[in-house]
Amino acid sequence: MSLTNAHLHAVCRPAARAPSEPLCDTETVDLVSDLLKTRQNISPKRLVEPGPSAEQLQHIFEAAAAAPDHGLLSPWRFVVVSKSRRIQLGDVFALCLIDRDPSATLEQIEAAREKALRAPLLVLAVAKLGAIPGDIPEIERMVSVGAAIQNILLAAHGMGLGGGLTSGQALHTERMSRFFDLHQHEKAVCFINIGTPSKRKTPRLRPTVDTFVSTL
Ligand SMILES: Cc1cc2nc3c(=O)[nH]c(=O)nc-3n(C[C@H](O)[C@H](O)[C@H](O)COP(=O)(O)O)c2cc1C
């Protein structure tokens, strides 16, 4: 499924209208609903070229900027790992593994290195946390980070691309923070892998609404 430009235009660039007027026609509403429900995590192993074009990437990051953001703090930033830095990132993954398991086998080390090389596009999502003036707690800022990440995944999905999140122990190490030059109150959240899906998984059963919604 892929949203057409007309759909995106209707959804993203609404003409002036009364607040109660629907944003778009029912067909587009259904399409957007399908978009939300059919997103799925695609493993980086199944993400192949082509990745997003420069124009698509711009739209993807603009979607991130539309995340809800209490206090308008933009408590997130995203670091695109350029192709030329992938090998170095692979070294960081390998060294992080050796740091925590000096007896790691060559095969395990190579598998760790591979994590940096798989998807056509690799982006680190960073949360900007720490004490700030005002009263927006960290948990609310983290919600905003998650929403920005979700918007990225949905934007990519809408373009017919696939996205997968990856994390792991290496992410939260001093070595990784240094590689990405994270500031004191910044936290690496996860990697966002984007590319063309070579294969999709069988859709998983989603939790039914009654299991997570109650009425007070
Ligand atoms: C912050 C975060 C980190 C994640 N890290 C990984 C990961 O390291 N490896 C992985 O296979 N999936 C990872 N995922 C994806 C989840 O496993 C996936 O969303 C879950 O299995 C549900 O599948 P779905 O997204 O297709 O509905 C991560 C998800 C989030 C929100």
Side-chain angles (χ1 to χ4, degrees), residues 39-41 165-168 189-190 201 204 206:
R39 180 217 57 83
Q40 57 175 192
N41 199 71
L165 303 182
T166 46
S167 43
V189 179
C190 61
K201 44 180 196 180
R204 74 175 168 102
R206 308 283 187 190

Side-chain angles (χ1 to χ4, degrees), residues 80-207:
V80 176
V81 186
S82 63
K83 295 259 160 126
S84 64
R85 301 297 301 276
R86 296 283 196 103
I87 301 279
Q88 278 174 289
L89 177 60
D91 291 343
V92 174
F93 274 119
L95 289 168
C96 287
L97 172 63
I98 296 165
D99 287 343
R100 62 175 194 273
D101 180 8
S103 63
T105 63
L106 266 181
E107 207 179 4
Q108 289 168 324
I109 294 169
E110 277 320 298
R113 207 185 286 285
E114 267 284 295
K115 291 180 187 175
L117 307 175
R118 288 178 189 145
L121 179 77
L122 185 65
V123 177
L124 180 70
V126 179
K128 292 156 68 179
L129 302 171
I132 49 161
D135 57 358
I136 316 287
E138 280 200 346
I139 189 166
E140 292 191 20
R141 287 178 266 158
M142 271 317 298
V143 168
S144 184
V145 177
I149 293 170
Q150 174 76 337
N151 281 4
I152 286 177
L153 294 175
L154 290 172
H157 180 42
M159 292 168 185
L161 295 163
L165 303 182
T166 46
S167 43
Q169 295 183 63
L171 205 55
H172 310 292
T173 60
E174 189 52 43
R175 201 183 273 287
M176 192 64 83
S177 297
R178 269 201 312 274
F179 183 73
F180 281 97
D181 197 20
L182 300 189
H183 305 158
Q184 196 191 350
H185 296 299
E186 291 185 325
K187 277 207 168 71
V189 179
C190 61
F191 284 101
I192 307 172
N193 302 261
I194 298 179
T196 300
S198 62
K199 198 172 169 196
R200 291 186 185 273
K201 44 180 196 180
T202 315
R204 74 175 168 102
L205 281 180
R206 308 283 187 190

Side-chain angles (χ1 to χ4, degrees), residues 36-41 203-209 211-212:
L36 301 177
K37 291 177 187 168
T38 57
R39 180 217 57 83
Q40 57 175 192
N41 199 71
R204 74 175 168 102
L205 281 180
R206 308 283 187 190
T208 55
V209 171
T211 62
F212 60 89

